[in-house]
Amino acid sequence: FEPLFEDSRYESKTAVTNFEKLRSADRVSAVYVFGGPMSDTLAPLAERAAVPMFSTEYDVRYTAGRKYVFRFANNAEDYARALIESLRKHKRRKFAIGKVENQYHNTLSDAFLHTLQEGEQGSVMANFLPGEKDFRPVFPKLKAAAPDALGVYLSPGMQHAFFKELQSAGLKLPTFGTDTFESRTENSGVEDVVEGALFANSVVEESFERRYRTRFKGSAQLVHAALAYEFVKLFG
């Protein structure tokens, strides 16, 4: 059993080059793909080449109607249902979402909004560009909307900057979001604003989490690392 690694740098074009190398030169038995844009691009290629492809993405479009493409994760609706059920227990009914414009966060936020029931309302309050760090212009809009809870669907680094600015503005309100809330680095220094945030995630064994934090000095992408680790154990 020999794992081979190629870094696409989150670029679809590079992912295609890497896939062709792994398929033709390395003659791999299967490919494991991380990231929405790469999964979207490689799924039809893997299907045509009859190379088993596994992805940790939550969007079911990659696998629908395909024989060789599989998701090694729950779908986005599973996470949305778990999250909304928890929010309902806290009597939250009106939601606003601030999100970064990328495939992963679009999939999760869309699933959340589509899972809302009668008597509940939600909308995307703001779309941010990747890497954006000044969120203060949306704060007046947030105050005017007065949601019961704010969805924060932002990438690592962006989320920390968002909560730092909320903290500086003296704004504190119930929040919910994605696995980024699991990162201690993202929460460092803004614990008072992040406290009580709700998010749905896959279970990570405590023993794996301890080893991961020790080895990598943090918890960034912890759940995706755990999924990959469990896949390798099962595949091996």
Side-chain angles (χ1 to χ4, degrees):
F1 181 62
E2 180 186 3
L4 302 176
F5 297 90
E6 294 291 344
D7 183 10
S8 68
R9 300 190 297 275
Y10 218 72
E11 298 170 356
S12 297
K13 183 178 179 179
T14 304
V16 172
T17 302
N18 292 345
F19 174 79
E20 292 301 334
K21 172 187 176 294
L22 290 168
R23 181 181 70 87
S24 302
D26 299 318
R27 298 185 179 278
V28 296
S29 302
V31 292
Y32 185 92
V33 182
F34 173 83
M38 287 65 66
S39 297
D40 201 9
T41 300
L42 296 182
L45 302 183
E47 186 73 10
R48 285 198 296 269
V51 173
M53 170 183 148
F54 299 85
S55 168
T56 58
E57 281 304 300
Y58 304 155
D59 195 331
V60 298
R61 292 182 301 110
Y62 306 135
T63 54
R66 292 190 167 119
K67 181 180 178 181
Y68 288 92
V69 184
F70 308 87
R71 283 182 301 102
F72 194 74
N74 291 76
N75 61 56
E77 286 72 22
D78 288 340
Y79 295 100
R81 280 192 294 269
L83 179 55
I84 291 173
E85 286 173 9
S86 186
L87 287 163
R88 285 173 185 148
K89 292 177 182 177
H90 290 77
K91 310 300 182 184
R92 313 297 182 199
R93 293 290 183 270
K94 182 181 178 183
F95 308 106
I97 291 177
K99 70 175 184 66
V100 61
E101 186 59 37
N102 70 29
Q103 206 159 348
Y104 176 72
H105 293 89
N106 289 345
T107 298
L108 288 174
S109 58
D110 286 348
F112 180 88
L113 294 175
H114 291 157
T115 307
L116 295 177
Q117 297 179 351
E118 186 177 352
E120 299 169 336
Q121 62 183 87
S123 62
V124 175
M125 178 191 67
N127 267 311
F128 302 108
L129 295 176
E132 194 168 337
K133 294 292 181 69
D134 184 7
F135 306 100
R136 290 169 296 181
V138 306
F139 289 174
K141 187 176 180 180
L142 175 59
K143 290 180 180 179
D148 295 337
L150 172 66
V152 181
Y153 287 71
L154 298 175
S155 305
M158 292 182 70
Q159 179 165 308
H160 185 264
F162 179 81
F163 278 106
K164 284 293 288 185
E165 291 186 350
L166 274 184
Q167 188 181 53
S168 296
L171 292 174
K172 174 117 173 37
L173 68 163
T175 54
F176 62 93
T178 73
D179 58 285
T180 307
F181 278 104
E182 199 157 64
S183 169
R184 294 182 183 179
T185 303
E186 290 298 302
N187 299 335
S188 178
V190 292
E191 290 88 351
D192 58 321
V193 192
V194 175
E195 183 181 11
L198 297 172
F199 64 98
N201 210 350
S202 300
V203 172
V204 178
E205 291 184 359
E206 290 184 9
S207 59
F208 176 84
E209 182 175 356
R210 286 195 299 271
R211 296 199 308 275
Y212 189 85
R213 290 186 187 278
T214 299
R215 180 171 180 179
F216 298 107
K217 313 303 180 188
S219 56
Q221 306 291 3
L222 173 64
V223 69
H224 301 289
L227 287 170
Y229 177 73
E230 291 176 8
F231 170 81
V232 170
K233 287 202 300 181
L234 289 168
F235 195 72

